[in-house]
């Protein structure tokens, strides 16, 4: 969609689908899935990165010309996340960071207090911060106020495949945001990605929905089309929801029975 670029942190992308690499059964499947998805930006957890090794995720991304988005997965405190982001910048030479500060291992939900603290520190340090956050409109506004380049609310817990559990909150976040809003976590199938885009999200971030699908490459292609279809539907504008039917055909010209002249 060249006439509708996705601008994130000053960089323009033609694809609105951000892929993750976690859970892929093999590098070969991952590579074919990335190609099928059409993504131009892909997250990599810093704890899995070996910048100089051959046959690594990074070598696949370099070969495909896909930009790396390091994340701070597995961090529980602002301090851990800030240190991880700085190591990523030194190792990969990028100021982009997907900021994750989780509260516990069981839910993998963001810790809002530590997240906001880390976001403010990293923005002051010159990073382009993309925070994984709860679907809380107030927290989203505060993250934007400290200078985050996008807001990435979860649809439901990571890897759950439950889709967007609170579409109303997504609409509230989108309506008030001055930066891109990107669905992050919870997508299970293509309709979840399409719904996010129809709600006004600027993009979709997903990993497990593709890498753990029965046919990852096929699902990646489905997600690509779902994101594109959802964006087109959002731009087109949906019809209002009604309690009662509204005929699509005009009433003029309808045959009326004459009580004095039965039709048969």
């Amino acid at each position: 969609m060249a006439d509708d670029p996705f601008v994130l942190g000053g960089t323009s992308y033609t694809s609105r689908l951000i892929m993750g690499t976690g859970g892929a059964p093999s590098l070969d499947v991952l590579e074919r899935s990335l190609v099928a998805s059409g993504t131009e930006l892909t997250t990599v957890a810093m704890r899995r990165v070996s910048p100089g090794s051959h046959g690594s995720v990074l070598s696949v991304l370099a070969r495909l010309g896909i930009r790396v988005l390091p994340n701070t997965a597995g961090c529980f405190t602002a301090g851990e996340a800030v240190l991880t982001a700085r190591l990523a910048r030194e190792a990969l030479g990028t100021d982009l960071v997907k900021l994750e500060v989780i509260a516990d291992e069981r839910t993998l939900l963001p810790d809002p207090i530590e997240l906001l603290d880390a976001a403010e520190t990293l923005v002051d340090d010159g990073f382009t911060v993309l925070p994984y956050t709860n679907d809380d409109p107030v927290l989203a506004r505060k993250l934007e106020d400290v200078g985050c380049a996008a807001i990435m609310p979860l649809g439901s817990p990571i890897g759950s495949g439950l889709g967007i559990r609170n579409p109303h909150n997504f609409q509230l976040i989108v309506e008030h945001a001055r930066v891109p809003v990107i669905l992050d976590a919870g997508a299970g199938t293509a309709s979840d990605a399409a719904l996010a885009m129809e709600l006004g999200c600027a993009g979709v971030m997903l990993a497990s929905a593709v890498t753990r699908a029965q046919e990852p490459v096929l699902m990646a292609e489905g997600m690509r089309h779902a994101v594109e279809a959802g964006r087109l539907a959002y731009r087109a504008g949906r019809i209002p929801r009604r309690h009662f039917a509204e005929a699509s055909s005009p009433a003029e010209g309808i045959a009326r029975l004459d009580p004095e002249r039965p039709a048969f």
Side-chain angles (χ1 to χ4, degrees):
M1 288 184 275
D3 62 330
D4 182 32
F6 173 37
V7 180
L8 188 60
T11 301
S12 183
Y13 302 89
T14 56
S15 171
R16 293 175 177 272
L17 179 56
I18 303 173
M19 288 289 294
T21 54
S26 68
L27 275 179
D28 174 64
V29 171
L30 175 63
E31 179 167 350
R32 289 189 288 123
S33 298
L34 292 174
V35 171
S37 75
T39 188
E40 298 168 292
L41 184 64
T42 295
T43 64
V44 177
M46 274 307 295
R47 57 185 173 177
R48 297 173 52 222
V49 168
S50 300
S53 64
H54 295 289
S56 67
V57 171
L58 290 182
S59 66
V60 170
L61 298 182
R63 185 165 61 253
L64 298 178
I66 296 174
R67 191 170 185 184
V68 178
L69 172 58
N71 69 43
T72 62
C75 293
F76 289 88
T77 67
E80 291 174 358
V82 169
L83 174 61
T84 302
R86 288 172 176 165
L87 290 172
R89 177 161 64 183
E90 184 175 337
L92 303 175
T94 177
D95 289 329
L96 269 180
V97 63
K98 178 171 176 271
L99 177 61
E100 297 184 27
V101 188
I102 58 175
D104 60 70
E105 291 277 9
R106 181 170 175 269
T107 66
L108 299 180
L109 292 174
D111 182 321
I113 297 171
E114 296 291 323
L115 177 68
L116 189 59
D117 187 15
E120 190 165 16
T121 301
L122 290 172
V123 169
D124 290 344
D125 207 12
F127 281 90
T128 299
V129 181
L130 315 176
Y132 160 64
T133 180
N134 299 291
D135 60 351
D136 178 350
V138 176
L139 179 57
R141 188 174 67 240
K142 289 183 179 294
L143 288 166
E144 184 176 346
D145 288 344
V146 300
C148 291
I151 304 297
M152 302 182 73
L154 58 85
S156 50
I158 292 172
S160 68
L162 292 172
I164 299 176
R165 306 304 290 172
N166 196 337
H168 179 64
N169 272 23
F170 266 74
Q171 284 184 311
L172 289 175
I173 293 172
V174 167
E175 286 173 6
H176 293 91
R178 302 180 303 276
V179 297
V181 177
I182 302 166
L183 169 67
D184 185 1
T189 190
S191 57
D192 298 328
L195 174 60
M197 300 305 292
E198 290 171 6
L199 291 172
C201 287
V204 170
M205 160 77 214
L206 56 86
S208 300
V210 165
T211 59
R212 292 176 175 152
Q214 294 181 29
E215 296 289 345
V217 179
L218 202 56
M219 183 61 84
E221 184 176 359
M223 290 295 187
R224 175 182 190 164
H225 293 305
V227 168
E228 293 174 356
R231 180 65 179 179
L232 289 173
Y234 172 72
R235 292 176 64 193
R238 63 158 298 129
I239 64 171
R241 292 181 170 86
R242 300 176 182 276
H243 288 294
F244 299 101
E246 183 182 58
S248 57
S249 300
E252 293 81 5
I254 294 178
R256 303 293 183 189
L257 289 178
D258 184 345
E260 302 299 325
R261 300 176 59 189
F264 53 86

